[in-house]
Amino acid sequence: MSEEKDTLMAMIQRECESCRSCELCGGRHNVVFGTGVTDARVMFIGEGPGEQEDLKGSPFVGKAGILLDKMLKAIDLDRKTNIYIANIVKCRPPMNRDPKPEEQDKCIPWLRKQFSVLKPEIVVCLGRIAAQKIITPDIRITKDHGKLYNKGGTVMMPMFHPAAVLRTPSSKADAFEDFLRLQELMKEKELI
Ligand code: URA
């Protein structure tokens, strides 16, 4: 645990909680800032909060989150001990629509601040929205999931969004293989 990182992250969270930079703030119950440990070497980035996340103020706590936690557990990762999870947008888009490009642009400075505190070695982008925003707009998840990209010295991996895996159960084996690839990468980097 790094006290300094915890303090910085808590300061950023407090600021973020009063953000009114885009119209998504009007419908929120909670800002879903992020969760996990600040000494995490691996950061997971999703798209934006859904209904459960908005109500509880924490990312990935609905059905997709339950699946994500299971896959994380299978490779000894856990939001309470060794990872950090955040989203591209911190407030729930109405009716779970995709966050608009302008909403993503308004919100991304918060994610950049989170990234600069964490300085993770590996970033996993869950789904198209996160992968296209963080890695490159050319990403096609069905084709590029599990591939490794280097951005400024950070290894980035696009993966299927767990909600997509729930919708398309036939993708589960591929999704799990990507988690095993992540585990291998962490071993190679001596992070586990
Ligand atoms: N989907 C996401 O992308 N993020 C969440 O926090 C929940 C569901």
Side-chain angles (χ1 to χ4, degrees), residues 2-69:
S2 156
E3 250 179 63
E4 196 184 335
K5 284 184 167 195
D6 283 352
T7 308
L8 268 172
M9 199 65 105
M11 278 170 55
I12 299 164
Q13 179 164 3
R14 261 197 310 279
E15 260 183 76
C16 182
E17 279 167 355
S18 55
C19 179
R20 305 195 67 81
S21 296
C22 81
E23 63 182 27
L24 293 183
C25 68
R28 75 183 174 216
H29 290 95
N30 284 292
V31 168
V32 180
F33 179 71
T35 192
V37 294
T38 56
D39 55 3
R41 311 315 305 130
V42 187
M43 180 180 194
F44 284 77
I45 302 178
E47 170 181 327
E51 185 183 20
Q52 289 307 308
E53 290 77 19
D54 172 59
L55 291 173
K56 295 189 179 134
S58 197
F60 286 100
V61 289
K63 280 186 194 150
I66 292 169
L67 175 61
L68 177 63
D69 281 340

Short mmCIF file of all heavy atoms in Angstrom, two decimals, residues 2-69:
data_model
loop_
_atom_site.label_atom_id
_atom_site.label_comp_id
_atom_site.label_asym_id
_atom_site.label_seq_id
_atom_site.Cartn_x
_atom_site.Cartn_y
_atom_site.Cartn_z
N SER A 2 0.56 2.18 -0.89
CA SER A 2 1.31 3.43 -0.90
C SER A 2 0.40 4.53 -0.36
O SER A 2 -0.60 4.88 -0.99
CB SER A 2 1.76 3.76 -2.31
OG SER A 2 1.98 5.14 -2.43
N GLU A 3 0.79 5.05 0.80
CA GLU A 3 -0.05 6.09 1.42
C GLU A 3 -0.14 7.33 0.55
O GLU A 3 -1.18 7.96 0.44
CB GLU A 3 0.53 6.47 2.78
CG GLU A 3 -0.33 6.00 3.93
CD GLU A 3 0.28 6.37 5.26
OE1 GLU A 3 0.42 7.56 5.53
OE2 GLU A 3 0.61 5.42 6.01
N GLU A 4 1.01 7.63 -0.10
CA GLU A 4 1.06 8.84 -0.94
C GLU A 4 0.09 8.71 -2.12
O GLU A 4 -0.67 9.63 -2.43
CB GLU A 4 2.49 9.04 -1.43
CG GLU A 4 2.74 10.41 -1.97
CD GLU A 4 4.15 10.54 -2.54
OE1 GLU A 4 5.03 9.77 -2.11
OE2 GLU A 4 4.34 11.37 -3.43
N LYS A 5 0.13 7.54 -2.76
CA LYS A 5 -0.77 7.30 -3.89
C LYS A 5 -2.24 7.30 -3.44
O LYS A 5 -3.11 7.83 -4.13
CB LYS A 5 -0.44 5.97 -4.57
CG LYS A 5 0.80 6.01 -5.44
CD LYS A 5 0.97 4.67 -6.14
CE LYS A 5 1.98 4.74 -7.26
NZ LYS A 5 1.90 3.58 -8.15
N ASP A 6 -2.49 6.70 -2.28
CA ASP A 6 -3.87 6.67 -1.76
C ASP A 6 -4.38 8.09 -1.55
O ASP A 6 -5.53 8.42 -1.90
CB ASP A 6 -3.93 5.93 -0.41
CG ASP A 6 -3.87 4.43 -0.59
OD1 ASP A 6 -3.92 3.96 -1.74
OD2 ASP A 6 -3.74 3.72 0.43
N THR A 7 -3.52 8.93 -0.99
CA THR A 7 -3.93 10.31 -0.70
C THR A 7 -4.20 11.07 -1.99
O THR A 7 -5.22 11.76 -2.11
CB THR A 7 -2.80 11.03 0.10
OG1 THR A 7 -2.47 10.21 1.21
CG2 THR A 7 -3.23 12.40 0.58
N LEU A 8 -3.29 10.92 -2.96
CA LEU A 8 -3.48 11.60 -4.24
C LEU A 8 -4.76 11.14 -4.92
O LEU A 8 -5.54 11.96 -5.43
CB LEU A 8 -2.31 11.25 -5.17
CG LEU A 8 -1.11 12.19 -5.17
CD1 LEU A 8 0.03 11.58 -5.99
CD2 LEU A 8 -1.52 13.53 -5.75
N MET A 9 -4.97 9.83 -4.94
CA MET A 9 -6.16 9.28 -5.61
C MET A 9 -7.42 9.78 -4.91
O MET A 9 -8.40 10.13 -5.58
CB MET A 9 -6.10 7.76 -5.61
CG MET A 9 -6.98 7.11 -6.62
SD MET A 9 -6.50 7.47 -8.33
CE MET A 9 -5.76 5.92 -8.80
N ALA A 10 -7.39 9.84 -3.60
CA ALA A 10 -8.58 10.31 -2.85
C ALA A 10 -8.85 11.78 -3.17
O ALA A 10 -10.02 12.18 -3.28
CB ALA A 10 -8.36 10.11 -1.35
N MET A 11 -7.79 12.57 -3.36
CA MET A 11 -7.97 13.98 -3.71
C MET A 11 -8.61 14.12 -5.08
O MET A 11 -9.53 14.91 -5.29
CB MET A 11 -6.61 14.70 -3.73
CG MET A 11 -6.13 15.12 -2.36
SD MET A 11 -4.42 15.70 -2.40
CE MET A 11 -4.51 16.98 -3.62
N ILE A 12 -8.11 13.31 -6.03
CA ILE A 12 -8.66 13.37 -7.39
C ILE A 12 -10.13 12.92 -7.37
O ILE A 12 -10.99 13.51 -8.02
CB ILE A 12 -7.83 12.48 -8.36
CG1 ILE A 12 -6.39 12.97 -8.42
CG2 ILE A 12 -8.44 12.45 -9.75
CD1 ILE A 12 -5.41 11.97 -9.02
N GLN A 13 -10.41 11.89 -6.58
CA GLN A 13 -11.78 11.39 -6.49
C GLN A 13 -12.73 12.47 -5.96
O GLN A 13 -13.82 12.66 -6.50
CB GLN A 13 -11.85 10.14 -5.60
CG GLN A 13 -13.28 9.61 -5.46
CD GLN A 13 -13.35 8.20 -4.93
OE1 GLN A 13 -12.32 7.60 -4.59
NE2 GLN A 13 -14.55 7.67 -4.84
N ARG A 14 -12.27 13.18 -4.93
CA ARG A 14 -13.12 14.24 -4.37
C ARG A 14 -13.45 15.30 -5.41
O ARG A 14 -14.59 15.74 -5.54
CB ARG A 14 -12.45 14.88 -3.15
CG ARG A 14 -12.98 14.32 -1.83
CD ARG A 14 -12.64 15.20 -0.64
NE ARG A 14 -11.24 15.57 -0.58
CZ ARG A 14 -10.27 14.81 -0.09
NH1 ARG A 14 -10.56 13.60 0.38
NH2 ARG A 14 -9.02 15.22 -0.04
N GLU A 15 -12.42 15.68 -6.18
CA GLU A 15 -12.63 16.68 -7.25
C GLU A 15 -13.61 16.14 -8.29
O GLU A 15 -14.52 16.82 -8.74
CB GLU A 15 -11.31 16.91 -7.99
CG GLU A 15 -10.53 18.13 -7.62
CD GLU A 15 -9.31 18.19 -8.55
OE1 GLU A 15 -9.47 18.56 -9.72
OE2 GLU A 15 -8.22 17.82 -8.09
N CYS A 16 -13.38 14.87 -8.68
CA CYS A 16 -14.19 14.25 -9.73
C CYS A 16 -15.66 14.17 -9.31
O CYS A 16 -16.56 14.33 -10.14
CB CYS A 16 -13.62 12.85 -10.02
SG CYS A 16 -14.45 11.95 -11.31
N GLU A 17 -15.88 13.96 -8.03
CA GLU A 17 -17.25 13.79 -7.54
C GLU A 17 -18.09 15.06 -7.68
O GLU A 17 -19.32 15.00 -7.63
CB GLU A 17 -17.25 13.26 -6.10
CG GLU A 17 -17.03 11.75 -6.13
CD GLU A 17 -16.69 11.12 -4.80
OE1 GLU A 17 -16.51 11.87 -3.81
OE2 GLU A 17 -16.58 9.89 -4.76
N SER A 18 -17.43 16.20 -7.90
CA SER A 18 -18.24 17.40 -8.12
C SER A 18 -18.19 17.85 -9.58
O SER A 18 -18.60 18.97 -9.91
CB SER A 18 -17.81 18.53 -7.17
OG SER A 18 -16.45 18.76 -7.31
N CYS A 19 -17.71 16.97 -10.47
CA CYS A 19 -17.58 17.33 -11.90
C CYS A 19 -18.97 17.54 -12.53
O CYS A 19 -19.88 16.74 -12.34
CB CYS A 19 -16.85 16.21 -12.65
SG CYS A 19 -16.68 16.55 -14.41
N ARG A 20 -19.07 18.64 -13.29
CA ARG A 20 -20.31 18.89 -14.04
C ARG A 20 -19.94 19.29 -15.48
O ARG A 20 -20.58 20.14 -16.09
CB ARG A 20 -21.13 20.00 -13.37
CG ARG A 20 -21.43 19.71 -11.90
CD ARG A 20 -22.52 20.57 -11.31
NE ARG A 20 -23.82 20.30 -11.91
CZ ARG A 20 -24.62 19.30 -11.58
NH1 ARG A 20 -24.25 18.44 -10.65
NH2 ARG A 20 -25.77 19.13 -12.16
N SER A 21 -18.88 18.61 -16.01
CA SER A 21 -18.36 19.01 -17.33
C SER A 21 -19.23 18.57 -18.51
O SER A 21 -19.05 19.06 -19.61
CB SER A 21 -16.97 18.43 -17.54
OG SER A 21 -16.09 18.96 -16.62
N CYS A 22 -20.08 17.57 -18.31
CA CYS A 22 -20.95 17.17 -19.42
C CYS A 22 -22.34 16.85 -18.89
O CYS A 22 -22.55 16.78 -17.68
CB CYS A 22 -20.35 15.99 -20.20
SG CYS A 22 -20.62 14.38 -19.44
N GLU A 23 -23.25 16.61 -19.83
CA GLU A 23 -24.65 16.46 -19.41
C GLU A 23 -24.94 15.17 -18.63
O GLU A 23 -25.98 15.05 -17.99
CB GLU A 23 -25.58 16.57 -20.62
CG GLU A 23 -25.36 15.48 -21.65
CD GLU A 23 -26.25 15.64 -22.88
OE1 GLU A 23 -26.65 16.78 -23.20
OE2 GLU A 23 -26.54 14.60 -23.51
N LEU A 24 -23.99 14.22 -18.64
CA LEU A 24 -24.23 12.97 -17.91
C LEU A 24 -24.38 13.21 -16.41
O LEU A 24 -25.00 12.41 -15.70
CB LEU A 24 -23.09 11.96 -18.15
CG LEU A 24 -22.96 11.40 -19.58
CD1 LEU A 24 -21.84 10.38 -19.64
CD2 LEU A 24 -24.27 10.80 -20.05
N CYS A 25 -23.83 14.32 -15.92
CA CYS A 25 -23.90 14.57 -14.46
C CYS A 25 -25.36 14.74 -14.02
O CYS A 25 -25.69 14.43 -12.87
CB CYS A 25 -23.06 15.78 -14.07
SG CYS A 25 -23.70 17.35 -14.69
N GLY A 26 -26.23 15.18 -14.94
CA GLY A 26 -27.62 15.46 -14.58
C GLY A 26 -28.38 14.21 -14.14
O GLY A 26 -29.28 14.30 -13.31
N GLY A 27 -28.03 13.06 -14.68
CA GLY A 27 -28.80 11.85 -14.39
C GLY A 27 -28.16 10.93 -13.37
O GLY A 27 -28.67 9.85 -13.09
N ARG A 28 -27.04 11.33 -12.81
CA ARG A 28 -26.31 10.35 -11.98
C ARG A 28 -26.83 10.30 -10.54
O ARG A 28 -27.29 11.30 -10.00
CB ARG A 28 -24.82 10.69 -11.97
CG ARG A 28 -24.46 11.88 -11.10
CD ARG A 28 -22.97 12.22 -11.19
NE ARG A 28 -22.66 13.44 -10.49
CZ ARG A 28 -21.76 14.33 -10.87
NH1 ARG A 28 -21.06 14.15 -11.97
NH2 ARG A 28 -21.54 15.41 -10.16
N HIS A 29 -26.76 9.08 -9.98
CA HIS A 29 -26.91 8.94 -8.53
C HIS A 29 -25.54 9.05 -7.87
O HIS A 29 -25.40 9.58 -6.78
CB HIS A 29 -27.53 7.58 -8.16
CG HIS A 29 -28.98 7.48 -8.57
ND1 HIS A 29 -29.37 6.92 -9.76
CD2 HIS A 29 -30.10 7.90 -7.95
CE1 HIS A 29 -30.69 6.99 -9.85
NE2 HIS A 29 -31.15 7.59 -8.77
N ASN A 30 -24.55 8.50 -8.54
CA ASN A 30 -23.18 8.53 -8.02
C ASN A 30 -22.20 8.70 -9.16
O ASN A 30 -22.42 8.19 -10.26
CB ASN A 30 -22.85 7.20 -7.32
CG ASN A 30 -23.49 7.07 -5.96
OD1 ASN A 30 -23.13 7.79 -5.04
ND2 ASN A 30 -24.46 6.18 -5.86
N VAL A 31 -21.10 9.36 -8.87
CA VAL A 31 -19.95 9.32 -9.77
C VAL A 31 -19.28 7.97 -9.51
O VAL A 31 -19.06 7.60 -8.36
CB VAL A 31 -18.96 10.47 -9.44
CG1 VAL A 31 -17.64 10.27 -10.16
CG2 VAL A 31 -19.58 11.82 -9.82
N VAL A 32 -19.00 7.24 -10.60
CA VAL A 32 -18.33 5.94 -10.43
C VAL A 32 -16.86 6.16 -10.77
O VAL A 32 -16.44 6.05 -11.93
CB VAL A 32 -18.99 4.87 -11.32
CG1 VAL A 32 -18.31 3.52 -11.15
CG2 VAL A 32 -20.48 4.75 -10.95
N PHE A 33 -16.09 6.50 -9.77
CA PHE A 33 -14.73 6.96 -9.99
C PHE A 33 -13.79 5.81 -10.35
O PHE A 33 -13.06 5.85 -11.34
CB PHE A 33 -14.24 7.68 -8.72
CG PHE A 33 -12.84 8.18 -8.81
CD1 PHE A 33 -12.51 9.26 -9.62
CD2 PHE A 33 -11.81 7.58 -8.09
CE1 PHE A 33 -11.20 9.72 -9.72
CE2 PHE A 33 -10.51 8.04 -8.17
CZ PHE A 33 -10.21 9.12 -8.98
N GLY A 34 -13.78 4.78 -9.54
CA GLY A 34 -12.88 3.66 -9.78
C GLY A 34 -12.68 2.93 -8.47
O GLY A 34 -13.03 3.43 -7.40
N THR A 35 -12.11 1.75 -8.57
CA THR A 35 -11.91 0.96 -7.36
C THR A 35 -10.68 0.08 -7.51
O THR A 35 -10.27 -0.23 -8.62
CB THR A 35 -13.16 0.09 -7.07
OG1 THR A 35 -13.06 -0.43 -5.77
CG2 THR A 35 -13.30 -1.07 -8.04
N GLY A 36 -10.11 -0.29 -6.40
CA GLY A 36 -8.93 -1.16 -6.44
C GLY A 36 -7.84 -0.60 -5.57
O GLY A 36 -8.08 0.30 -4.76
N VAL A 37 -6.63 -1.12 -5.79
CA VAL A 37 -5.50 -0.68 -4.96
C VAL A 37 -4.61 0.24 -5.79
O VAL A 37 -4.43 0.04 -6.99
CB VAL A 37 -4.71 -1.88 -4.38
CG1 VAL A 37 -5.57 -2.65 -3.40
CG2 VAL A 37 -4.19 -2.79 -5.48
N THR A 38 -4.02 1.24 -5.14
CA THR A 38 -3.25 2.23 -5.90
C THR A 38 -1.83 1.73 -6.22
O THR A 38 -1.13 2.35 -7.00
CB THR A 38 -3.15 3.57 -5.14
OG1 THR A 38 -2.59 3.32 -3.85
CG2 THR A 38 -4.52 4.22 -5.01
N ASP A 39 -1.42 0.60 -5.63
CA ASP A 39 -0.12 0.04 -6.06
C ASP A 39 -0.31 -1.09 -7.08
O ASP A 39 0.61 -1.86 -7.35
CB ASP A 39 0.73 -0.40 -4.85
CG ASP A 39 0.01 -1.38 -3.95
OD1 ASP A 39 -1.14 -1.78 -4.30
OD2 ASP A 39 0.57 -1.77 -2.92
N ALA A 40 -1.48 -1.14 -7.70
CA ALA A 40 -1.75 -2.14 -8.74
C ALA A 40 -0.78 -1.96 -9.91
O ALA A 40 -0.48 -0.83 -10.29
CB ALA A 40 -3.18 -1.98 -9.24
N ARG A 41 -0.31 -3.05 -10.48
CA ARG A 41 0.52 -2.99 -11.69
C ARG A 41 -0.34 -3.17 -12.94
O ARG A 41 0.12 -2.99 -14.06
CB ARG A 41 1.66 -4.04 -11.66
CG ARG A 41 2.51 -4.10 -10.40
CD ARG A 41 2.95 -2.74 -9.85
NE ARG A 41 3.65 -1.91 -10.82
CZ ARG A 41 3.34 -0.62 -11.09
NH1 ARG A 41 2.32 -0.03 -10.47
NH2 ARG A 41 4.03 0.06 -11.94
N VAL A 42 -1.56 -3.59 -12.73
CA VAL A 42 -2.48 -3.80 -13.86
C VAL A 42 -3.74 -2.96 -13.64
O VAL A 42 -4.34 -3.00 -12.57
CB VAL A 42 -2.90 -5.29 -13.99
CG1 VAL A 42 -3.71 -5.50 -15.26
CG2 VAL A 42 -1.69 -6.20 -13.98
N MET A 43 -4.09 -2.20 -14.68
CA MET A 43 -5.30 -1.38 -14.62
C MET A 43 -6.29 -1.88 -15.66
O MET A 43 -5.91 -2.12 -16.81
CB MET A 43 -4.90 0.07 -14.93
CG MET A 43 -6.05 1.05 -14.90
SD MET A 43 -5.43 2.72 -15.28
CE MET A 43 -6.85 3.69 -14.78
N PHE A 44 -7.54 -2.05 -15.26
CA PHE A 44 -8.62 -2.43 -16.19
C PHE A 44 -9.47 -1.21 -16.48
O PHE A 44 -9.82 -0.47 -15.54
CB PHE A 44 -9.49 -3.53 -15.57
CG PHE A 44 -8.84 -4.88 -15.58
CD1 PHE A 44 -7.84 -5.20 -14.68
CD2 PHE A 44 -9.21 -5.84 -16.53
CE1 PHE A 44 -7.22 -6.44 -14.69
CE2 PHE A 44 -8.59 -7.09 -16.55
CZ PHE A 44 -7.60 -7.39 -15.64
N ILE A 45 -9.80 -1.02 -17.76
CA ILE A 45 -10.63 0.14 -18.12
C ILE A 45 -11.86 -0.34 -18.89
O ILE A 45 -11.76 -1.00 -19.92
CB ILE A 45 -9.82 1.14 -18.98
CG1 ILE A 45 -8.56 1.60 -18.19
CG2 ILE A 45 -10.69 2.34 -19.35
CD1 ILE A 45 -7.66 2.55 -18.96
N GLY A 46 -13.02 0.00 -18.34
CA GLY A 46 -14.28 -0.31 -19.01
C GLY A 46 -14.83 0.92 -19.71
O GLY A 46 -14.13 1.92 -19.90
N GLU A 47 -16.10 0.82 -20.03
CA GLU A 47 -16.71 1.87 -20.86
C GLU A 47 -17.36 2.96 -20.00
O GLU A 47 -17.00 4.14 -20.08
CB GLU A 47 -17.73 1.13 -21.73
CG GLU A 47 -18.66 1.96 -22.51
CD GLU A 47 -19.62 1.06 -23.31
OE1 GLU A 47 -19.23 -0.05 -23.75
OE2 GLU A 47 -20.77 1.47 -23.47
N GLY A 48 -18.30 2.55 -19.17
CA GLY A 48 -19.00 3.51 -18.33
C GLY A 48 -19.94 2.76 -17.43
O GLY A 48 -20.28 1.60 -17.68
N PRO A 49 -20.40 3.41 -16.35
CA PRO A 49 -21.27 2.73 -15.40
C PRO A 49 -22.62 2.35 -15.99
O PRO A 49 -23.16 3.08 -16.83
CB PRO A 49 -21.46 3.75 -14.28
CG PRO A 49 -20.65 4.96 -14.61
CD PRO A 49 -20.10 4.80 -15.99
N GLY A 50 -23.14 1.23 -15.55
CA GLY A 50 -24.52 0.84 -15.84
C GLY A 50 -25.38 1.20 -14.63
O GLY A 50 -24.95 1.92 -13.73
N GLU A 51 -26.58 0.62 -14.62
CA GLU A 51 -27.54 0.97 -13.57
C GLU A 51 -27.02 0.64 -12.16
O GLU A 51 -27.05 1.46 -11.25
CB GLU A 51 -28.85 0.23 -13.82
CG GLU A 51 -29.94 0.62 -12.86
CD GLU A 51 -31.22 -0.19 -13.08
OE1 GLU A 51 -31.17 -1.27 -13.69
OE2 GLU A 51 -32.27 0.29 -12.62
N GLN A 52 -26.54 -0.59 -12.01
CA GLN A 52 -26.07 -1.03 -10.67
C GLN A 52 -24.88 -0.20 -10.21
O GLN A 52 -24.76 0.17 -9.03
CB GLN A 52 -25.68 -2.52 -10.71
CG GLN A 52 -26.85 -3.46 -10.83
CD GLN A 52 -27.89 -3.20 -9.76
OE1 GLN A 52 -27.59 -3.13 -8.57
NE2 GLN A 52 -29.13 -3.00 -10.18
N GLU A 53 -23.99 0.07 -11.16
CA GLU A 53 -22.78 0.84 -10.83
C GLU A 53 -23.16 2.25 -10.40
O GLU A 53 -22.63 2.79 -9.43
CB GLU A 53 -21.84 0.88 -12.05
CG GLU A 53 -21.18 -0.45 -12.38
CD GLU A 53 -22.07 -1.44 -13.10
OE1 GLU A 53 -23.10 -1.01 -13.68
OE2 GLU A 53 -21.76 -2.66 -13.09
N ASP A 54 -24.13 2.83 -11.12
CA ASP A 54 -24.60 4.19 -10.80
C ASP A 54 -25.21 4.21 -9.39
O ASP A 54 -25.01 5.15 -8.61
CB ASP A 54 -25.63 4.61 -11.85
CG ASP A 54 -26.32 5.92 -11.50
OD1 ASP A 54 -25.60 6.93 -11.34
OD2 ASP A 54 -27.55 5.93 -11.37
N LEU A 55 -25.97 3.16 -9.08
CA LEU A 55 -26.62 3.12 -7.77
C LEU A 55 -25.62 2.89 -6.63
O LEU A 55 -25.76 3.44 -5.55
CB LEU A 55 -27.70 2.03 -7.74
CG LEU A 55 -28.93 2.31 -8.62
CD1 LEU A 55 -29.86 1.09 -8.64
CD2 LEU A 55 -29.69 3.54 -8.10
N LYS A 56 -24.60 2.07 -6.93
CA LYS A 56 -23.67 1.69 -5.85
C LYS A 56 -22.40 2.55 -5.84
O LYS A 56 -21.65 2.53 -4.85
CB LYS A 56 -23.32 0.22 -5.97
CG LYS A 56 -24.55 -0.65 -5.73
CD LYS A 56 -24.25 -2.12 -5.63
CE LYS A 56 -25.54 -2.91 -5.37
NZ LYS A 56 -25.67 -4.08 -6.19
N GLY A 57 -22.12 3.25 -6.93
CA GLY A 57 -20.93 4.11 -6.96
C GLY A 57 -19.64 3.36 -7.17
O GLY A 57 -18.55 3.88 -6.92
N SER A 58 -19.73 2.13 -7.69
CA SER A 58 -18.54 1.32 -7.89
C SER A 58 -18.60 0.64 -9.27
O SER A 58 -19.69 0.24 -9.70
CB SER A 58 -18.50 0.27 -6.77
OG SER A 58 -17.23 -0.27 -6.67
N PRO A 59 -17.46 0.51 -9.97
CA PRO A 59 -17.51 -0.07 -11.31
C PRO A 59 -17.71 -1.59 -11.30
O PRO A 59 -17.29 -2.26 -10.35
CB PRO A 59 -16.13 0.27 -11.90
CG PRO A 59 -15.24 0.49 -10.76
CD PRO A 59 -16.09 0.95 -9.61
N PHE A 60 -18.33 -2.09 -12.33
CA PHE A 60 -18.48 -3.53 -12.55
C PHE A 60 -19.02 -4.25 -11.31
O PHE A 60 -18.37 -5.15 -10.76
CB PHE A 60 -17.15 -4.14 -13.02
CG PHE A 60 -16.82 -3.80 -14.45
CD1 PHE A 60 -15.91 -2.79 -14.74
CD2 PHE A 60 -17.43 -4.46 -15.50
CE1 PHE A 60 -15.62 -2.44 -16.06
CE2 PHE A 60 -17.14 -4.13 -16.83
CZ PHE A 60 -16.23 -3.12 -17.10
N VAL A 61 -20.21 -3.85 -10.88
CA VAL A 61 -20.85 -4.55 -9.76
C VAL A 61 -22.15 -5.25 -10.20
O VAL A 61 -22.80 -5.89 -9.39
CB VAL A 61 -21.13 -3.61 -8.56
CG1 VAL A 61 -19.84 -3.21 -7.88
CG2 VAL A 61 -21.92 -2.38 -8.99
N GLY A 62 -22.51 -5.13 -11.48
CA GLY A 62 -23.70 -5.81 -11.99
C GLY A 62 -23.31 -7.21 -12.50
O GLY A 62 -22.26 -7.76 -12.12
N LYS A 63 -24.15 -7.76 -13.40
CA LYS A 63 -23.91 -9.13 -13.91
C LYS A 63 -22.55 -9.25 -14.59
O LYS A 63 -21.83 -10.23 -14.43
CB LYS A 63 -25.00 -9.51 -14.90
CG LYS A 63 -26.28 -9.95 -14.23
CD LYS A 63 -27.28 -10.46 -15.27
CE LYS A 63 -28.66 -10.56 -14.64
NZ LYS A 63 -29.74 -10.36 -15.60
N ALA A 64 -22.20 -8.23 -15.40
CA ALA A 64 -20.91 -8.27 -16.11
C ALA A 64 -19.76 -8.25 -15.10
O ALA A 64 -18.74 -8.92 -15.29
CB ALA A 64 -20.80 -7.08 -17.07
N GLY A 65 -19.96 -7.50 -14.03
CA GLY A 65 -18.93 -7.41 -12.99
C GLY A 65 -18.71 -8.73 -12.27
O GLY A 65 -17.59 -9.08 -11.92
N ILE A 66 -19.81 -9.47 -12.08
CA ILE A 66 -19.69 -10.78 -11.41
C ILE A 66 -18.85 -11.71 -12.28
O ILE A 66 -17.95 -12.40 -11.80
CB ILE A 66 -21.09 -11.37 -11.12
CG1 ILE A 66 -21.78 -10.49 -10.05
CG2 ILE A 66 -21.01 -12.82 -10.65
CD1 ILE A 66 -23.25 -10.79 -9.84
N LEU A 67 -19.11 -11.68 -13.60
CA LEU A 67 -18.31 -12.52 -14.51
C LEU A 67 -16.85 -12.03 -14.51
O LEU A 67 -15.92 -12.85 -14.46
CB LEU A 67 -18.89 -12.46 -15.94
CG LEU A 67 -18.07 -13.19 -17.00
CD1 LEU A 67 -17.94 -14.69 -16.66
CD2 LEU A 67 -18.68 -13.02 -18.39
N LEU A 68 -16.66 -10.71 -14.56
CA LEU A 68 -15.29 -10.18 -14.54
C LEU A 68 -14.55 -10.65 -13.29
O LEU A 68 -13.41 -11.13 -13.38
CB LEU A 68 -15.34 -8.64 -14.59
CG LEU A 68 -13.99 -7.93 -14.50
CD1 LEU A 68 -13.10 -8.28 -15.71
CD2 LEU A 68 -14.18 -6.40 -14.43
N ASP A 69 -15.20 -10.55 -12.14
CA ASP A 69 -14.55 -10.97 -10.89
C ASP A 69 -14.17 -12.46 -10.93
O ASP A 69 -13.12 -12.84 -10.43
CB ASP A 69 -15.46 -10.69 -9.68
CG ASP A 69 -15.41 -9.23 -9.26
OD1 ASP A 69 -14.44 -8.52 -9.61
OD2 ASP A 69 -16.36 -8.77 -8.59
#
